[in-house]
Amino acid sequence: VLESIGQIAINVKGTARARDFYRDVLGLRHLFDAGPNLAFFQCGGVRLMLSPPSKPEHDNPGSIIYYKVADLVATHAAMVARGAAFEAEPHLVATMPDHALWMAFLRDSEGNLLALMEEKRPA
């Protein structure tokens, strides 16, 4: 039985550049480096591993990672102040019975598409 995600590998072309982006722009907690090409971060209960593709057949864009945030507008503003370039302003994606789903999309330093998401619930 699968219980949770333990780690996600994210393809990067420049580990040092990507490490700086994930630490300084996204604000994730840097755990450790392993050699010159691996950098590890903590995001909630999931560890992220930044590394160049280990084989040519693994050199492809990654899946979109959706980071949950408590306040999308404030997180968006903080990341823009730290140099993030978003594709658009935060916007409503869908209205569900118990919440409104808001998102904002950006690219990391390696060109991978990322998303911030907030499930806004009525007060």
Side-chain angles (χ1 to χ4, degrees):
V1 174
L2 300 178
E3 295 180 12
S4 64
I5 295 172
Q7 180 170 289
I8 296 173
I10 300 171
N11 283 344
V12 301
K13 294 186 180 9
T15 302
R17 178 182 58 225
R19 178 181 43 249
D20 292 349
F21 180 87
Y22 278 75
R23 182 191 60 219
D24 302 337
V25 177
L26 295 186
L28 293 177
R29 184 168 56 98
H30 179 246
L31 295 173
F32 60 93
D33 294 329
N37 291 320
L38 296 170
F40 294 84
F41 288 84
Q42 192 66 41
C43 183
V46 178
R47 186 171 60 206
L48 302 179
M49 178 184 78
L50 309 180
S51 68
S54 59
K55 297 178 180 178
E57 61 265 26
H58 296 154
D59 190 6
N60 56 53
S63 299
I64 301 170
I65 298 176
Y66 292 77
Y67 294 94
K68 289 179 90 173
V69 299
D71 184 335
L72 180 58
V73 171
T75 303
H76 173 268
M79 287 185 179
V80 166
R82 294 192 301 258
F86 282 81
E87 296 193 342
E89 295 294 314
H91 58 278
L92 177 66
V93 173
T95 303
M96 311 294 191
D98 64 339
H99 69 276
L101 179 60
W102 284 71
M103 292 189 185
F105 293 87
L106 70 152
R107 301 261 173 194
D108 71 6
S109 60
E110 308 307 294
N112 296 306
L113 186 63
L114 307 175
L116 303 181
M117 62 182 279
E118 179 185 355
E119 295 175 351
K120 294 185 181 190
R121 302 190 187 283

